[in-house]
Amino acid sequence: TMYVKRAVVTKRIKGSQYQILQPGETLQILNDALCEHALPNCQFVTVVYCVINTETLTMQYARGGHPSPLLIPKGGQACAFTSPGGLMGLFPGFECTTGEVQLSPGDKIILYTDGMEAAFDQVAADNGQRFAGHRGVLESLSAYSATDMAARLGERLDNEHGSLLPADDVTMVAVDIGEPGLCDRS
């Protein structure tokens, strides 16, 4: 994780000017760096990288083997941002496309690890709940703020079978989309 953090290149600097790179280009650079260094005990990395323009509320995103980000529109059903992108660090010359979505005030963006799928999808399948799983859990919490959503998700995880010895780690980042140009920096 420390190597990945240092290897991520998000902007190109020319003199006193800089250009923010598109997420797909950032992931291509990261993949090449991972392949070049052939880190020990690290067979691959998964990643999702998003850039939100707070003035226009457009979000650019790219994935590398990671679960697709979810958009939960205000009062709507979750939908995944699909974009191609395999596991990173395995093969040089990785091609990764940048997708773009227009956000609206009241939307939520949810990024999560595959541990979220492991925690909820098997329980849903065992109970015959076809579309419940992790997306159903996230949709059921969508009326809450991102902070409250995370807290309630933690409670739900604690109540799941096997919560003391989980099959995988669970990490989630939830972002509430506000009005354009307003950025809470607290």
Side-chain angles (χ1 to χ4, degrees):
T1 303
M2 291 186 308
Y3 177 79
V4 169
K5 182 179 178 182
R6 294 190 62 112
V8 170
V9 177
T10 61
K11 59 186 169 186
R12 186 172 290 118
I13 301 171
K14 294 178 185 174
S16 63
Q17 302 289 318
Y18 71 91
Q19 172 193 11
I20 295 176
L21 300 178
Q22 289 195 344
E25 185 176 358
T26 293
L27 294 190
Q28 289 171 344
I29 294 167
L30 175 60
N31 182 73
D32 289 345
L34 289 167
C35 288
E36 180 181 317
H37 283 83
L39 299 173
N41 302 321
C42 178
Q43 282 67 41
F44 63 87
V45 172
T46 69
V47 64
V48 63
Y49 177 55
C50 304
V51 176
I52 299 174
N53 182 322
T54 59
E55 296 296 323
T56 64
L57 297 185
T58 56
M59 183 176 87
Q60 292 183 320
Y61 59 92
R63 302 184 321 93
H66 205 74
S68 296
L70 291 180
L71 165 65
I72 303 179
K74 185 177 182 178
Q77 276 190 309
C79 60
F81 302 139
T82 57
S83 66
L87 300 173
M88 299 191 53
L90 296 177
F91 306 105
F94 175 84
E95 291 190 25
C96 188
T97 58
T98 296
E100 187 171 291
V101 65
Q102 181 64 50
L103 303 173
S104 298
D107 290 351
K108 281 188 183 47
I109 302 297
I110 311 295
L111 310 173
Y112 56 92
T113 59
D114 60 350
M116 178 79 75
E117 296 166 343
F120 293 110
D121 290 0
Q122 187 58 49
V123 171
D126 290 346
N127 292 329
Q129 299 170 337
R130 187 166 176 216
F131 291 108
H134 71 282
R135 286 178 71 170
V137 169
L138 293 171
E139 283 178 347
S140 74
L141 300 173
S142 66
Y144 298 100
S145 70
T147 302
D148 289 341
M149 186 180 194
R152 290 174 186 271
L153 178 66
E155 292 170 5
R156 292 282 302 265
L157 285 167
D158 287 345
N159 292 326
E160 288 300 315
H161 176 72
S163 64
L164 295 178
L165 297 170
D168 201 352
D169 63 299
V170 176
T171 302
M172 179 187 82
V173 174
V175 179
D176 288 316
I177 304 301
E179 293 295 326
L182 298 177
C183 185
D184 180 8
R185 299 192 194 302
S186 57

